[in-house]
Amino acid sequence: MRYSRALFVTPSYPGRWFGGVRPPVGISYVEEFIAGHGVATDAIDLNAGYKKRHLLQKIRDFQPDIVGFTVMTYQYLNTYALISELRRLFPGVKTIVGGPHVSALESEVLEQCPDADYAVAGEGELPMRDLCLGAPLETIPGLHHRSNGDILSGPARVYVDDLDQLPFPRFRSYPLDRYTNEIEICTSRGCPHRCIFCSVPNHMGRPIRYRSARLVGDELDYFYQRGVRSFQIGDDNFLADRRRVMELFEHIAERDFEGAVLRCGQGIRADLI
């Protein structure tokens, strides 16, 4: 089965601020990637002032074949309830879940949420592309699915070694005026450490994989030309390779982003400063 129209949903998290300041990066990478493979896409962020009624209207207007949700463990039951409601209202639309909660529990998520059709553990770009383009389900790494009442799993998840093959998200599906004038930039993925409070190694893998300085500069330039002046570094362990950090900063300095501000509010280990 192929899916030609995909809608991506970032759920809201009442009582806790997980989003809404900046457009969501992870799920937008997946959207950008599959759009480049011919899949029509749209997205909605329920942290950006939208309500459930807006999501339902989006589904009626866009008429997706499949709806994808990113799931945090925090208030995950609210997301499950929303998926169940969509199944009742739109029985012909398939749903797929991904994100940190799914990466931690893998196929167990489909047991917890019987109305979800698919689950993706780890990075979602390649599995979502393969699913939408009709690859046999049992061949897709990281994908869990249903078959005749059973929950089946494809090969173990794989991580993208060459991050430069993934186009950075342009956030074309999001009204950027609903956010602060800041964009999150991810220059790498993964972290080799095993901090007990952090799920990153499980979700993004332990080997750190880097984007080239040139493509990071291109991303900054894309949004700089559109009036963005504040950028948040969203790496999992930005200072892991100091030589690479200096190379990146030297390249950015050559681009002359006058007035731009780079912030790094995460991914900084005290022993690497």
Side-chain angles (χ1 to χ4, degrees):
M1 179 178 291
R2 300 172 67 94
Y3 299 103
S4 61
R5 303 180 67 80
L7 174 66
F8 293 91
V9 180
T10 301
S12 64
Y13 298 96
R16 184 70 178 272
W17 196 255
F18 275 119
V21 175
R22 297 174 293 272
V25 174
I27 198 170
S28 296
Y29 259 102
V30 180
E31 180 187 5
E32 193 78 34
F33 186 69
I34 70 166
H37 287 82
V39 180
T41 67
D42 203 348
I44 184 169
D45 179 4
L46 297 181
N47 297 285
Y50 294 108
K51 306 299 182 183
K52 181 170 64 177
R53 69 178 185 274
H54 298 110
L55 169 60
L56 300 181
Q57 189 60 51
K58 175 80 75 172
I59 294 174
R60 296 186 188 102
D61 293 341
F62 182 64
Q63 298 185 355
D65 305 312
I66 188 168
V67 178
F69 290 81
T70 182
V71 185
M72 302 284 288
T73 300
Y74 179 75
Q75 297 197 11
Y76 70 97
L77 291 178
N78 290 345
T79 304
Y80 289 176
L82 182 56
I83 292 171
S84 296
E85 184 169 356
L86 295 190
R87 171 52 50 86
R88 179 176 59 84
L89 295 174
F90 307 99
V93 177
K94 299 296 185 180
T95 55
I96 182 170
V97 292
H101 186 66
V102 183
S103 296
L105 299 183
E106 302 216 6
S107 63
E108 185 180 339
V109 169
L110 295 184
E111 298 176 10
Q112 294 180 345
C113 185
D115 289 309
D117 297 290
Y118 306 102
V120 172
E123 295 172 335
E125 291 92 351
L126 301 184
M128 191 66 179
R129 176 201 63 187
D130 294 346
L131 175 64
C132 289
L133 297 185
L137 299 180
E138 66 276 9
T139 69
I140 302 177
L143 182 73
H144 307 280
H145 64 281
R146 302 184 188 277
S147 178
N148 298 321
D150 296 323
I151 296 174
L152 304 179
S153 301
R157 70 178 87 169
V158 297
Y159 294 101
V160 179
D161 289 327
D162 179 16
L163 294 182
D164 283 357
Q165 71 176 283
L166 304 178
F168 64 84
R170 272 72 171 178
F171 305 115
R172 285 179 282 253
S173 296
Y174 300 91
L176 295 184
D177 59 355
R178 284 179 174 260
Y179 301 92
T180 58
N181 188 31
E182 182 174 86
I183 294 295
E184 182 175 333
I185 303 291
C186 290
T187 78
S188 67
R189 293 181 180 180
C191 180
H193 301 288
R194 296 183 181 272
C195 302
I196 61 173
F197 55 82
C198 182
S199 65
V200 163
N202 180 61
H203 182 41
M204 285 295 183
R206 297 190 68 207
I208 300 183
R209 295 149 292 138
Y210 297 101
R211 297 172 62 206
S212 67
R214 177 183 61 82
L215 288 185
V216 173
D218 289 347
E219 182 175 6
L220 290 168
D221 185 66
Y222 176 87
F223 290 107
Y224 185 86
Q225 297 301 326
R226 286 156 179 78
V228 178
R229 292 296 181 268
S230 182
F231 300 90
Q232 162 81 3
I233 302 294
D235 292 28
D236 304 313
N237 193 337
F238 182 60
L239 295 183
D241 185 337
R242 290 171 178 259
R243 182 181 302 176
R244 188 257 179 182
V245 170
M246 294 307 299
E247 175 192 352
L248 182 61
F249 283 164
E250 289 170 2
H251 183 82
I252 291 173
E254 292 173 359
R255 296 283 191 119
D256 191 24
F257 297 118
E258 184 177 356
V261 175
L262 286 176
R263 301 194 307 112
C264 195
Q266 65 184 53
I268 300 295
R269 285 177 58 95
D271 59 352
L272 294 178
I273 295 177

